[in-house]
């Protein structure tokens, strides 16, 4: 995921050391959030407040949470996160990347925020089966659930 530098408050950038994630895209600075970062972080809107939280549990920091950064929409709909304290969140993004292919995101991505056993907030990107176009573009069988947008 990527978000324009101007979209994040300076204090949030400094507090989470996001300066090292800045890249230049055609003269416009942006902050990139990669799941495979040494410390994977991602911004989320929760209750009208922008936060930067841990993205998933890929490094096994939690024994209670799944070791991934994504969850299927169908898992949520079937009650897979029931009684976990999970709440829906919006993940602001202007670009996203899958398998090396960047694509524009208009309003952001849906996410799920869940506390780990120590109470730390952990975000998962909600995904659904890829559309034919998305699958051809990225060669992925899953795609993020975008806010009011279909690819």
């Amino acid at each position: 995921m990527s978000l324009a530098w101007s979209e994040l408050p300076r204090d949030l950038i400094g507090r989470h050391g996001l300066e090292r994630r800045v890249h230049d895209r055609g003269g416009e600075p942006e902050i990139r959030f990669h799941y495979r970062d040494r410390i994977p972080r991602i911004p989320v809107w929760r209750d009208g407040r922008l936060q930067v939280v841990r993205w998933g549990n890929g490094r096994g920091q939690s024994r209670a949470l799944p070791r991934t950064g994504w969850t299927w929409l169908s898992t949520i709909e079937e009650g897979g996160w029931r009684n976990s304290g999970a709440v829906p969140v919006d993940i602001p993004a202007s670009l996203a990347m899958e398998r090396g292919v960047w694509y524009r995101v208009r309003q952001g991505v849906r996410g799920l925020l869940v506390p780990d056993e120590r109470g730390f907030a952990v975000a998962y990107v909600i995904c659904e089966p890829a559309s034919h176009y998305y699958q051809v573009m990225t060669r992925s069988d899953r795609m993020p659930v975008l806010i009011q947008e279909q690819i």
Side-chain angles (χ1 to χ4, degrees), residues 31-47:
I31 299 176
R32 293 182 182 173
F33 301 91
H34 295 284
Y35 176 67
R36 296 194 186 279
D37 270 350
R38 187 172 48 85
I39 303 172
R41 299 275 182 216
I42 196 166
V44 300
W45 281 106
R46 179 181 184 191
D47 300 328

Side-chain angles (χ1 to χ4, degrees), residues 36 38 50 62 65 80 99 134 144-145 150:
R36 296 194 186 279
R38 187 172 48 85
L50 188 60
S62 168
L65 297 176
R99 298 188 179 195
Y134 190 89
V145 175
Q150 287 287 324

Side-chain angles (χ1 to χ4, degrees), residues 4-110:
W5 171 272
S6 59
E7 297 292 321
L8 283 169
R10 299 268 172 158
D11 67 318
L12 207 58
I13 292 170
R15 190 175 340 134
H16 293 281
L18 301 179
E19 296 91 349
R20 69 175 184 81
R21 298 172 187 245
V22 175
H23 293 266
D24 184 81
R25 186 182 296 271
E28 178 74 27
E30 64 183 23
I31 299 176
R32 293 182 182 173
F33 301 91
H34 295 284
Y35 176 67
R36 296 194 186 279
D37 270 350
R38 187 172 48 85
I39 303 172
R41 299 275 182 216
I42 196 166
V44 300
W45 281 106
R46 179 181 184 191
D47 300 328
R49 207 177 103 210
L50 188 60
Q51 305 173 340
V52 175
V53 300
R54 193 171 87 213
W55 183 354
N57 188 36
R59 297 184 180 268
Q61 300 97 323
S62 168
R63 293 183 182 179
L65 297 176
R67 289 191 68 154
T68 181
W70 293 264
T71 185
W72 288 97
L73 178 60
S74 59
T75 300
I76 297 168
E77 292 171 343
E78 294 165 4
W81 289 93
R82 189 177 303 129
N83 302 322
S84 67
V87 295
V89 292
D90 291 340
I91 299 169
S94 45
L95 295 164
M97 182 179 67
E98 180 80 41
R99 298 188 179 195
V101 177
W102 285 97
Y103 56 93
R104 182 147 312 274
V105 175
R106 290 190 185 130
Q107 295 189 36
V109 175
R110 299 284 184 208

